[in-house]
PDB file of all heavy atoms in Angstrom:
ATOM      1  N   THR A  14      91.858 136.333 132.223  1.00  0.00           N
ATOM      2  CA  THR A  14      90.397 136.442 132.335  1.00  0.00           C
ATOM      3  C   THR A  14      89.948 137.746 131.856  1.00  0.00           C
ATOM      4  O   THR A  14      88.887 137.769 131.210  1.00  0.00           O
ATOM      5  CB  THR A  14      90.066 136.200 133.822  1.00  0.00           C
ATOM      6  OG1 THR A  14      90.721 134.855 134.199  1.00  0.00           O
ATOM      7  CG2 THR A  14      88.518 136.103 134.004  1.00  0.00           C
ATOM      8  N   LEU A  15      90.417 138.839 132.273  1.00  0.00           N
ATOM      9  CA  LEU A  15      90.042 140.105 131.910  1.00  0.00           C
ATOM     10  C   LEU A  15      90.208 140.361 130.381  1.00  0.00           C
ATOM     11  O   LEU A  15      89.232 140.805 129.731  1.00  0.00           O
ATOM     12  CB  LEU A  15      90.810 141.250 132.699  1.00  0.00           C
ATOM     13  CG  LEU A  15      90.457 141.427 134.197  1.00  0.00           C
ATOM     14  CD1 LEU A  15      91.550 142.344 134.754  1.00  0.00           C
ATOM     15  CD2 LEU A  15      89.090 142.118 134.287  1.00  0.00           C
ATOM     16  N   PHE A  16      91.191 139.832 129.778  1.00  0.00           N
ATOM     17  CA  PHE A  16      91.482 139.964 128.494  1.00  0.00           C
ATOM     18  C   PHE A  16      90.366 139.088 127.636  1.00  0.00           C
ATOM     19  O   PHE A  16      89.900 139.552 126.661  1.00  0.00           O
ATOM     20  CB  PHE A  16      92.817 139.544 127.953  1.00  0.00           C
ATOM     21  CG  PHE A  16      93.087 139.824 126.657  1.00  0.00           C
ATOM     22  CD1 PHE A  16      93.523 141.046 126.174  1.00  0.00           C
ATOM     23  CD2 PHE A  16      93.187 138.832 125.573  1.00  0.00           C
ATOM     24  CE1 PHE A  16      93.740 141.320 124.759  1.00  0.00           C
ATOM     25  CE2 PHE A  16      93.382 139.076 124.189  1.00  0.00           C
ATOM     26  CZ  PHE A  16      93.694 140.274 123.946  1.00  0.00           C
ATOM     27  N   ALA A  17      90.125 137.947 128.170  1.00  0.00           N
ATOM     28  CA  ALA A  17      89.090 137.136 127.531  1.00  0.00           C
ATOM     29  C   ALA A  17      87.738 137.703 127.423  1.00  0.00           C
ATOM     30  O   ALA A  17      86.997 137.700 126.480  1.00  0.00           O
ATOM     31  CB  ALA A  17      89.091 135.764 128.103  1.00  0.00           C
ATOM     32  N   VAL A  18      87.324 138.288 128.610  1.00  0.00           N
ATOM     33  CA  VAL A  18      86.118 138.970 128.636  1.00  0.00           C
ATOM     34  C   VAL A  18      86.079 140.255 127.826  1.00  0.00           C
ATOM     35  O   VAL A  18      85.140 140.368 127.064  1.00  0.00           O
ATOM     36  CB  VAL A  18      85.820 139.407 130.161  1.00  0.00           C
ATOM     37  CG1 VAL A  18      84.515 140.298 130.292  1.00  0.00           C
ATOM     38  CG2 VAL A  18      85.456 138.186 130.973  1.00  0.00           C
ATOM     39  N   TYR A  19      87.077 140.940 127.677  1.00  0.00           N
ATOM     40  CA  TYR A  19      87.276 142.141 126.817  1.00  0.00           C
ATOM     41  C   TYR A  19      86.974 141.654 125.303  1.00  0.00           C
ATOM     42  O   TYR A  19      86.230 142.271 124.571  1.00  0.00           O
ATOM     43  CB  TYR A  19      88.571 142.818 126.882  1.00  0.00           C
ATOM     44  CG  TYR A  19      88.849 143.868 125.863  1.00  0.00           C
ATOM     45  CD1 TYR A  19      88.324 145.172 126.119  1.00  0.00           C
ATOM     46  CD2 TYR A  19      89.575 143.533 124.820  1.00  0.00           C
ATOM     47  CE1 TYR A  19      88.557 146.038 125.162  1.00  0.00           C
ATOM     48  CE2 TYR A  19      89.920 144.616 123.879  1.00  0.00           C
ATOM     49  CZ  TYR A  19      89.282 145.842 123.993  1.00  0.00           C
ATOM     50  OH  TYR A  19      89.511 146.774 123.008  1.00  0.00           O
ATOM     51  N   ILE A  20      87.720 140.663 124.928  1.00  0.00           N
ATOM     52  CA  ILE A  20      87.682 140.161 123.507  1.00  0.00           C
ATOM     53  C   ILE A  20      86.149 139.557 123.307  1.00  0.00           C
ATOM     54  O   ILE A  20      85.654 139.862 122.207  1.00  0.00           O
ATOM     55  CB  ILE A  20      88.722 139.123 123.105  1.00  0.00           C
ATOM     56  CG1 ILE A  20      90.007 139.748 123.254  1.00  0.00           C
ATOM     57  CG2 ILE A  20      88.559 138.361 121.955  1.00  0.00           C
ATOM     58  CD1 ILE A  20      90.335 140.838 122.146  1.00  0.00           C
ATOM     59  N   ALA A  21      85.662 138.887 124.085  1.00  0.00           N
ATOM     60  CA  ALA A  21      84.430 138.206 123.919  1.00  0.00           C
ATOM     61  C   ALA A  21      83.262 139.259 123.741  1.00  0.00           C
ATOM     62  O   ALA A  21      82.424 139.147 122.997  1.00  0.00           O
ATOM     63  CB  ALA A  21      84.056 137.238 125.021  1.00  0.00           C
ATOM     64  N   THR A  22      83.325 140.267 124.680  1.00  0.00           N
ATOM     65  CA  THR A  22      82.381 141.379 124.614  1.00  0.00           C
ATOM     66  C   THR A  22      82.533 142.182 123.264  1.00  0.00           C
ATOM     67  O   THR A  22      81.438 142.584 122.755  1.00  0.00           O
ATOM     68  CB  THR A  22      82.522 142.328 125.833  1.00  0.00           C
ATOM     69  OG1 THR A  22      82.357 141.457 127.050  1.00  0.00           O
ATOM     70  CG2 THR A  22      81.477 143.344 125.781  1.00  0.00           C
ATOM     71  N   THR A  23      83.754 142.489 122.893  1.00  0.00           N
ATOM     72  CA  THR A  23      83.954 143.124 121.660  1.00  0.00           C
ATOM     73  C   THR A  23      83.386 142.317 120.455  1.00  0.00           C
ATOM     74  O   THR A  23      82.690 142.897 119.615  1.00  0.00           O
ATOM     75  CB  THR A  23      85.480 143.409 121.390  1.00  0.00           C
ATOM     76  OG1 THR A  23      85.885 144.253 122.563  1.00  0.00           O
ATOM     77  CG2 THR A  23      85.655 144.199 120.141  1.00  0.00           C
ATOM     78  N   LEU A  24      83.658 141.012 120.364  1.00  0.00           N
ATOM     79  CA  LEU A  24      83.152 140.241 119.389  1.00  0.00           C
ATOM     80  C   LEU A  24      81.575 140.168 119.349  1.00  0.00           C
ATOM     81  O   LEU A  24      80.855 140.171 118.378  1.00  0.00           O
ATOM     82  CB  LEU A  24      83.711 138.739 119.410  1.00  0.00           C
ATOM     83  CG  LEU A  24      85.106 138.675 119.177  1.00  0.00           C
ATOM     84  CD1 LEU A  24      85.614 137.223 119.393  1.00  0.00           C
ATOM     85  CD2 LEU A  24      85.426 139.054 117.534  1.00  0.00           C
ATOM     86  N   GLU A  25      81.020 140.087 120.527  1.00  0.00           N
ATOM     87  CA  GLU A  25      79.549 140.073 120.636  1.00  0.00           C
ATOM     88  C   GLU A  25      79.016 141.378 120.057  1.00  0.00           C
ATOM     89  O   GLU A  25      78.000 141.298 119.313  1.00  0.00           O
ATOM     90  CB  GLU A  25      79.249 139.887 122.118  1.00  0.00           C
ATOM     91  CG  GLU A  25      77.660 139.830 122.360  1.00  0.00           C
ATOM     92  CD  GLU A  25      77.316 139.758 123.788  1.00  0.00           C
ATOM     93  OE1 GLU A  25      78.062 139.523 124.744  1.00  0.00           O
ATOM     94  OE2 GLU A  25      76.019 139.647 123.997  1.00  0.00           O
ATOM     95  N   TRP A  26      79.663 142.478 120.480  1.00  0.00           N
ATOM     96  CA  TRP A  26      79.150 143.763 119.859  1.00  0.00           C
ATOM     97  C   TRP A  26      79.280 143.839 118.317  1.00  0.00           C
ATOM     98  O   TRP A  26      78.436 144.381 117.666  1.00  0.00           O
ATOM     99  CB  TRP A  26      79.971 144.952 120.473  1.00  0.00           C
ATOM    100  CG  TRP A  26      79.737 146.291 120.003  1.00  0.00           C
ATOM    101  CD1 TRP A  26      78.597 147.028 120.121  1.00  0.00           C
ATOM    102  CD2 TRP A  26      80.626 147.016 119.110  1.00  0.00           C
ATOM    103  NE1 TRP A  26      78.830 148.201 119.486  1.00  0.00           N
ATOM    104  CE2 TRP A  26      80.039 148.207 118.851  1.00  0.00           C
ATOM    105  CE3 TRP A  26      81.950 146.767 118.603  1.00  0.00           C
ATOM    106  CZ2 TRP A  26      80.655 149.144 118.033  1.00  0.00           C
ATOM    107  CZ3 TRP A  26      82.570 147.785 117.696  1.00  0.00           C
ATOM    108  CH2 TRP A  26      81.868 148.876 117.532  1.00  0.00           C
ATOM    109  N   LEU A  27      80.336 143.282 117.848  1.00  0.00           N
ATOM    110  CA  LEU A  27      80.555 143.345 116.357  1.00  0.00           C
ATOM    111  C   LEU A  27      79.479 142.519 115.749  1.00  0.00           C
ATOM    112  O   LEU A  27      79.023 142.745 114.592  1.00  0.00           O
ATOM    113  CB  LEU A  27      81.894 142.718 116.005  1.00  0.00           C
ATOM    114  CG  LEU A  27      83.111 143.725 116.281  1.00  0.00           C
ATOM    115  CD1 LEU A  27      84.446 142.949 116.055  1.00  0.00           C
ATOM    116  CD2 LEU A  27      83.029 144.900 115.437  1.00  0.00           C
ATOM    117  N   MET A  28      78.960 141.418 116.351  1.00  0.00           N
ATOM    118  CA  MET A  28      78.034 140.451 115.781  1.00  0.00           C
ATOM    119  C   MET A  28      76.727 140.973 115.892  1.00  0.00           C
ATOM    120  O   MET A  28      75.804 140.508 115.087  1.00  0.00           O
ATOM    121  CB  MET A  28      78.103 139.087 116.456  1.00  0.00           C
ATOM    122  CG  MET A  28      79.495 138.392 116.243  1.00  0.00           C
ATOM    123  SD  MET A  28      79.865 137.920 114.630  1.00  0.00           S
ATOM    124  CE  MET A  28      78.981 136.528 114.434  1.00  0.00           C
ATOM    125  N   ARG A  29      76.334 141.766 116.908  1.00  0.00           N
ATOM    126  CA  ARG A  29      75.010 142.270 117.046  1.00  0.00           C
ATOM    127  C   ARG A  29      74.699 143.360 116.148  1.00  0.00           C
ATOM    128  O   ARG A  29      75.444 144.153 115.880  1.00  0.00           O
ATOM    129  CB  ARG A  29      74.791 142.680 118.572  1.00  0.00           C
ATOM    130  CG  ARG A  29      74.794 141.718 119.611  1.00  0.00           C
ATOM    131  CD  ARG A  29      74.749 142.436 120.917  1.00  0.00           C
ATOM    132  NE  ARG A  29      74.386 141.361 121.863  1.00  0.00           N
ATOM    133  CZ  ARG A  29      73.293 141.364 122.600  1.00  0.00           C
ATOM    134  NH1 ARG A  29      72.484 142.361 122.557  1.00  0.00           N
ATOM    135  NH2 ARG A  29      73.106 140.444 123.546  1.00  0.00           N
ATOM    136  N   GLU A  30      73.473 143.406 115.713  1.00  0.00           N
ATOM    137  CA  GLU A  30      73.003 144.513 114.866  1.00  0.00           C
ATOM    138  C   GLU A  30      71.879 145.288 115.613  1.00  0.00           C
ATOM    139  O   GLU A  30      71.130 144.682 116.349  1.00  0.00           O
ATOM    140  CB  GLU A  30      72.328 143.871 113.549  1.00  0.00           C
ATOM    141  CG  GLU A  30      73.362 143.272 112.731  1.00  0.00           C
ATOM    142  CD  GLU A  30      72.655 142.853 111.376  1.00  0.00           C
ATOM    143  OE1 GLU A  30      71.656 143.294 111.007  1.00  0.00           O
ATOM    144  OE2 GLU A  30      73.353 141.983 110.767  1.00  0.00           O
ATOM    145  N   GLY A  31      71.929 146.599 115.487  1.00  0.00           N
ATOM    146  CA  GLY A  31      70.921 147.435 116.038  1.00  0.00           C
ATOM    147  C   GLY A  31      71.040 147.586 117.503  1.00  0.00           C
ATOM    148  O   GLY A  31      69.953 147.896 118.238  1.00  0.00           O
ATOM    149  N   VAL A  32      72.184 147.434 118.238  1.00  0.00           N
ATOM    150  CA  VAL A  32      72.305 147.632 119.599  1.00  0.00           C
ATOM    151  C   VAL A  32      72.358 149.149 119.737  1.00  0.00           C
ATOM    152  O   VAL A  32      72.874 149.881 119.013  1.00  0.00           O
ATOM    153  CB  VAL A  32      73.462 146.890 120.255  1.00  0.00           C
ATOM    154  CG1 VAL A  32      73.395 145.481 120.107  1.00  0.00           C
ATOM    155  CG2 VAL A  32      74.813 147.392 119.557  1.00  0.00           C
ATOM    156  N   PRO A  33      71.947 149.661 120.972  1.00  0.00           N
ATOM    157  CA  PRO A  33      72.007 151.019 121.379  1.00  0.00           C
ATOM    158  C   PRO A  33      73.479 151.461 121.164  1.00  0.00           C
ATOM    159  O   PRO A  33      74.379 150.714 121.414  1.00  0.00           O
ATOM    160  CB  PRO A  33      71.443 151.192 122.762  1.00  0.00           C
ATOM    161  CG  PRO A  33      70.761 149.923 122.906  1.00  0.00           C
ATOM    162  CD  PRO A  33      71.254 148.909 121.999  1.00  0.00           C
ATOM    163  N   GLN A  34      73.729 152.826 120.952  1.00  0.00           N
ATOM    164  CA  GLN A  34      74.890 153.403 120.905  1.00  0.00           C
ATOM    165  C   GLN A  34      75.866 153.102 121.955  1.00  0.00           C
ATOM    166  O   GLN A  34      77.154 152.907 121.787  1.00  0.00           O
ATOM    167  CB  GLN A  34      74.743 154.821 120.662  1.00  0.00           C
ATOM    168  CG  GLN A  34      76.080 155.581 120.247  1.00  0.00           C
ATOM    169  CD  GLN A  34      75.868 157.076 119.937  1.00  0.00           C
ATOM    170  OE1 GLN A  34      74.756 157.519 119.991  1.00  0.00           O
ATOM    171  NE2 GLN A  34      76.955 157.811 119.552  1.00  0.00           N
ATOM    172  N   GLN A  35      75.421 153.145 123.210  1.00  0.00           N
ATOM    173  CA  GLN A  35      76.275 152.974 124.436  1.00  0.00           C
ATOM    174  C   GLN A  35      76.357 151.523 124.909  1.00  0.00           C
ATOM    175  O   GLN A  35      76.945 151.250 126.002  1.00  0.00           O
ATOM    176  CB  GLN A  35      75.685 153.894 125.571  1.00  0.00           C
ATOM    177  CG  GLN A  35      75.841 155.275 125.213  1.00  0.00           C
ATOM    178  CD  GLN A  35      77.138 155.778 125.006  1.00  0.00           C
ATOM    179  OE1 GLN A  35      78.073 155.384 125.687  1.00  0.00           O
ATOM    180  NE2 GLN A  35      77.238 156.645 123.968  1.00  0.00           N
ATOM    181  N   TRP A  36      75.851 150.559 124.078  1.00  0.00           N
ATOM    182  CA  TRP A  36      75.765 149.214 124.575  1.00  0.00           C
ATOM    183  C   TRP A  36      77.320 148.751 124.923  1.00  0.00           C
ATOM    184  O   TRP A  36      77.538 148.059 125.945  1.00  0.00           O
ATOM    185  CB  TRP A  36      75.256 148.253 123.547  1.00  0.00           C
ATOM    186  CG  TRP A  36      75.104 146.808 123.960  1.00  0.00           C
ATOM    187  CD1 TRP A  36      74.049 146.243 124.590  1.00  0.00           C
ATOM    188  CD2 TRP A  36      76.104 145.772 123.893  1.00  0.00           C
ATOM    189  NE1 TRP A  36      74.392 145.002 124.943  1.00  0.00           N
ATOM    190  CE2 TRP A  36      75.586 144.722 124.471  1.00  0.00           C
ATOM    191  CE3 TRP A  36      77.317 145.756 123.227  1.00  0.00           C
ATOM    192  CZ2 TRP A  36      76.245 143.442 124.428  1.00  0.00           C
ATOM    193  CZ3 TRP A  36      78.080 144.553 123.355  1.00  0.00           C
ATOM    194  CH2 TRP A  36      77.508 143.365 123.870  1.00  0.00           C
ATOM    195  N   LEU A  37      78.225 148.906 123.909  1.00  0.00           N
ATOM    196  CA  LEU A  37      79.582 148.383 124.190  1.00  0.00           C
ATOM    197  C   LEU A  37      80.226 148.973 125.415  1.00  0.00           C
ATOM    198  O   LEU A  37      80.691 148.189 126.345  1.00  0.00           O
ATOM    199  CB  LEU A  37      80.428 148.531 122.961  1.00  0.00           C
ATOM    200  CG  LEU A  37      81.864 148.133 123.032  1.00  0.00           C
ATOM    201  CD1 LEU A  37      81.915 146.489 123.250  1.00  0.00           C
ATOM    202  CD2 LEU A  37      82.672 148.558 121.876  1.00  0.00           C
ATOM    203  N   SER A  38      80.227 150.215 125.563  1.00  0.00           N
ATOM    204  CA  SER A  38      80.906 150.824 126.769  1.00  0.00           C
ATOM    205  C   SER A  38      80.245 150.473 127.998  1.00  0.00           C
ATOM    206  O   SER A  38      80.891 150.082 128.952  1.00  0.00           O
ATOM    207  CB  SER A  38      80.972 152.327 126.572  1.00  0.00           C
ATOM    208  OG  SER A  38      79.649 152.867 126.528  1.00  0.00           O
ATOM    209  N   GLN A  39      78.939 150.383 128.132  1.00  0.00           N
ATOM    210  CA  GLN A  39      78.231 150.093 129.375  1.00  0.00           C
ATOM    211  C   GLN A  39      78.353 148.542 129.665  1.00  0.00           C
ATOM    212  O   GLN A  39      78.662 148.205 130.832  1.00  0.00           O
ATOM    213  CB  GLN A  39      76.671 150.333 129.267  1.00  0.00           C
ATOM    214  CG  GLN A  39      76.419 151.907 129.200  1.00  0.00           C
ATOM    215  CD  GLN A  39      74.987 152.149 128.781  1.00  0.00           C
ATOM    216  OE1 GLN A  39      74.097 151.239 128.485  1.00  0.00           O
ATOM    217  NE2 GLN A  39      74.651 153.401 128.960  1.00  0.00           N
ATOM    218  N   THR A  40      78.253 147.744 128.625  1.00  0.00           N
ATOM    219  CA  THR A  40      78.487 146.287 128.859  1.00  0.00           C
ATOM    220  C   THR A  40      79.835 145.928 129.230  1.00  0.00           C
ATOM    221  O   THR A  40      80.014 145.087 130.125  1.00  0.00           O
ATOM    222  CB  THR A  40      77.975 145.491 127.608  1.00  0.00           C
ATOM    223  OG1 THR A  40      76.656 145.851 127.288  1.00  0.00           O
ATOM    224  CG2 THR A  40      77.959 143.991 127.804  1.00  0.00           C
ATOM    225  N   MET A  41      80.774 146.507 128.621  1.00  0.00           N
ATOM    226  CA  MET A  41      82.283 146.303 128.859  1.00  0.00           C
ATOM    227  C   MET A  41      82.494 146.630 130.322  1.00  0.00           C
ATOM    228  O   MET A  41      83.149 146.003 131.028  1.00  0.00           O
ATOM    229  CB  MET A  41      83.188 147.115 127.923  1.00  0.00           C
ATOM    230  CG  MET A  41      84.600 146.797 127.978  1.00  0.00           C
ATOM    231  SD  MET A  41      85.016 145.069 127.252  1.00  0.00           S
ATOM    232  CE  MET A  41      84.816 145.365 125.542  1.00  0.00           C
ATOM    233  N   ARG A  42      82.131 147.932 130.663  1.00  0.00           N
ATOM    234  CA  ARG A  42      82.293 148.345 132.048  1.00  0.00           C
ATOM    235  C   ARG A  42      81.815 147.488 133.056  1.00  0.00           C
ATOM    236  O   ARG A  42      82.414 146.988 134.167  1.00  0.00           O
ATOM    237  CB  ARG A  42      81.713 149.734 132.164  1.00  0.00           C
ATOM    238  CG  ARG A  42      82.213 150.447 133.501  1.00  0.00           C
ATOM    239  CD  ARG A  42      81.658 151.840 133.485  1.00  0.00           C
ATOM    240  NE  ARG A  42      82.101 152.690 132.390  1.00  0.00           N
ATOM    241  CZ  ARG A  42      81.320 153.205 131.483  1.00  0.00           C
ATOM    242  NH1 ARG A  42      79.957 153.059 131.485  1.00  0.00           N
ATOM    243  NH2 ARG A  42      81.720 153.898 130.424  1.00  0.00           N
ATOM    244  N   THR A  43      80.641 147.086 132.829  1.00  0.00           N
ATOM    245  CA  THR A  43      79.776 146.136 133.826  1.00  0.00           C
ATOM    246  C   THR A  43      80.520 144.730 133.867  1.00  0.00           C
ATOM    247  O   THR A  43      80.799 144.219 135.101  1.00  0.00           O
ATOM    248  CB  THR A  43      78.401 145.903 133.409  1.00  0.00           C
ATOM    249  OG1 THR A  43      77.766 147.165 133.382  1.00  0.00           O
ATOM    250  CG2 THR A  43      77.693 145.069 134.383  1.00  0.00           C
ATOM    251  N   ARG A  44      80.773 144.143 132.826  1.00  0.00           N
ATOM    252  CA  ARG A  44      81.483 142.850 132.740  1.00  0.00           C
ATOM    253  C   ARG A  44      82.863 142.799 133.330  1.00  0.00           C
ATOM    254  O   ARG A  44      83.230 141.899 134.075  1.00  0.00           O
ATOM    255  CB  ARG A  44      81.443 142.284 131.343  1.00  0.00           C
ATOM    256  CG  ARG A  44      80.167 141.873 130.812  1.00  0.00           C
ATOM    257  CD  ARG A  44      80.169 141.443 129.447  1.00  0.00           C
ATOM    258  NE  ARG A  44      78.739 141.104 129.016  1.00  0.00           N
ATOM    259  CZ  ARG A  44      78.507 140.583 127.812  1.00  0.00           C
ATOM    260  NH1 ARG A  44      79.373 140.497 127.000  1.00  0.00           N
ATOM    261  NH2 ARG A  44      77.172 140.274 127.506  1.00  0.00           N
ATOM    262  N   LEU A  45      83.624 143.824 132.966  1.00  0.00           N
ATOM    263  CA  LEU A  45      85.029 143.892 133.496  1.00  0.00           C
ATOM    264  C   LEU A  45      85.008 144.086 135.045  1.00  0.00           C
ATOM    265  O   LEU A  45      85.809 143.701 135.671  1.00  0.00           O
ATOM    266  CB  LEU A  45      85.813 144.873 132.734  1.00  0.00           C
ATOM    267  CG  LEU A  45      86.136 144.545 131.318  1.00  0.00           C
ATOM    268  CD1 LEU A  45      86.960 145.683 130.713  1.00  0.00           C
ATOM    269  CD2 LEU A  45      86.992 143.267 131.266  1.00  0.00           C
ATOM    270  N   ARG A  46      84.113 144.974 135.426  1.00  0.00           N
ATOM    271  CA  ARG A  46      83.948 145.283 136.962  1.00  0.00           C
ATOM    272  C   ARG A  46      83.619 144.020 137.634  1.00  0.00           C
ATOM    273  O   ARG A  46      84.170 143.802 138.696  1.00  0.00           O
ATOM    274  CB  ARG A  46      82.845 146.359 137.215  1.00  0.00           C
ATOM    275  CG  ARG A  46      82.878 146.743 138.633  1.00  0.00           C
ATOM    276  CD  ARG A  46      81.887 147.887 138.902  1.00  0.00           C
ATOM    277  NE  ARG A  46      82.312 149.105 138.040  1.00  0.00           N
ATOM    278  CZ  ARG A  46      81.365 149.776 137.333  1.00  0.00           C
ATOM    279  NH1 ARG A  46      80.263 149.457 137.184  1.00  0.00           N
ATOM    280  NH2 ARG A  46      81.868 150.887 136.629  1.00  0.00           N
ATOM    281  N   LEU A  47      82.723 143.216 137.109  1.00  0.00           N
ATOM    282  CA  LEU A  47      82.294 141.981 137.848  1.00  0.00           C
ATOM    283  C   LEU A  47      83.449 140.884 137.824  1.00  0.00           C
ATOM    284  O   LEU A  47      83.770 140.299 138.842  1.00  0.00           O
ATOM    285  CB  LEU A  47      81.144 141.395 137.134  1.00  0.00           C
ATOM    286  CG  LEU A  47      79.741 141.951 137.276  1.00  0.00           C
ATOM    287  CD1 LEU A  47      78.739 141.431 136.408  1.00  0.00           C
ATOM    288  CD2 LEU A  47      79.403 141.809 138.796  1.00  0.00           C
ATOM    289  N   VAL A  48      84.233 140.830 136.754  1.00  0.00           N
ATOM    290  CA  VAL A  48      85.388 139.983 136.674  1.00  0.00           C
ATOM    291  C   VAL A  48      86.462 140.379 137.721  1.00  0.00           C
ATOM    292  O   VAL A  48      87.010 139.651 138.472  1.00  0.00           O
ATOM    293  CB  VAL A  48      85.940 139.848 135.262  1.00  0.00           C
ATOM    294  CG1 VAL A  48      87.220 139.060 135.235  1.00  0.00           C
ATOM    295  CG2 VAL A  48      85.037 139.141 134.367  1.00  0.00           C
ATOM    296  N   TRP A  49      86.686 141.753 137.650  1.00  0.00           N
ATOM    297  CA  TRP A  49      87.711 142.277 138.589  1.00  0.00           C
ATOM    298  C   TRP A  49      87.408 142.041 139.977  1.00  0.00           C
ATOM    299  O   TRP A  49      88.316 141.697 140.786  1.00  0.00           O
ATOM    300  CB  TRP A  49      87.984 143.781 138.264  1.00  0.00           C
ATOM    301  CG  TRP A  49      88.971 144.413 139.123  1.00  0.00           C
ATOM    302  CD1 TRP A  49      88.823 145.274 140.181  1.00  0.00           C
ATOM    303  CD2 TRP A  49      90.308 144.289 139.035  1.00  0.00           C
ATOM    304  NE1 TRP A  49      90.086 145.586 140.674  1.00  0.00           N
ATOM    305  CE2 TRP A  49      91.003 144.955 139.934  1.00  0.00           C
ATOM    306  CE3 TRP A  49      91.192 143.488 138.208  1.00  0.00           C
ATOM    307  CZ2 TRP A  49      92.372 144.944 140.110  1.00  0.00           C
ATOM    308  CZ3 TRP A  49      92.527 143.498 138.298  1.00  0.00           C
ATOM    309  CH2 TRP A  49      93.056 144.244 139.397  1.00  0.00           C
ATOM    310  N   GLU A  50      86.034 142.196 140.438  1.00  0.00           N
ATOM    311  CA  GLU A  50      85.743 141.897 141.753  1.00  0.00           C
ATOM    312  C   GLU A  50      86.008 140.508 142.184  1.00  0.00           C
ATOM    313  O   GLU A  50      86.293 140.167 143.324  1.00  0.00           O
ATOM    314  CB  GLU A  50      84.195 142.368 141.866  1.00  0.00           C
ATOM    315  CG  GLU A  50      84.036 143.717 141.981  1.00  0.00           C
ATOM    316  CD  GLU A  50      82.513 144.043 142.024  1.00  0.00           C
ATOM    317  OE1 GLU A  50      81.637 143.208 142.200  1.00  0.00           O
ATOM    318  OE2 GLU A  50      82.278 145.310 141.879  1.00  0.00           O
ATOM    319  N   GLY A  51      85.879 139.544 141.143  1.00  0.00           N
ATOM    320  CA  GLY A  51      86.146 138.104 141.396  1.00  0.00           C
ATOM    321  C   GLY A  51      87.526 137.757 141.504  1.00  0.00           C
ATOM    322  O   GLY A  51      87.954 136.807 142.143  1.00  0.00           O
ATOM    323  N   VAL A  52      88.565 138.544 140.904  1.00  0.00           N
ATOM    324  CA  VAL A  52      89.851 138.069 140.910  1.00  0.00           C
ATOM    325  C   VAL A  52      90.873 139.064 141.610  1.00  0.00           C
ATOM    326  O   VAL A  52      91.959 138.738 141.818  1.00  0.00           O
ATOM    327  CB  VAL A  52      90.388 137.902 139.433  1.00  0.00           C
ATOM    328  CG1 VAL A  52      89.652 136.792 138.703  1.00  0.00           C
ATOM    329  CG2 VAL A  52      90.393 139.193 138.655  1.00  0.00           C
TER     330      VAL A  52
END
C-alpha cells in the first residue's frame, strides 16, 4: 500500500505542470503519513 501511494504520487507529480516547488515532498509526506496511520 505504501509503495502504491509512493508511485502514484510520483506519477501525478510528473504529469502535473506548474506545481509549486515543494508540492512533491509535502504531498508525499502527507499521503504516506495518512496511509501509515491506517496500516
Side-chain angles (χ1 to χ4, degrees):
T14 304
L15 288 165
F16 187 79
V18 169
Y19 172 81
I20 292 296
T22 303
T23 301
L24 289 173
E25 182 180 353
W26 173 72
L27 290 170
M28 301 292 283
R29 288 177 167 240
E30 292 184 20
V32 294
Q34 186 175 4
Q35 297 300 317
W36 184 91
L37 180 60
S38 60
Q39 291 171 349
T40 304
M41 188 72 73
R42 190 176 303 117
T43 301
R44 289 178 180 178
L45 291 176
R46 187 178 298 133
L47 285 170
V48 171
W49 182 250
E50 289 175 6
V52 296

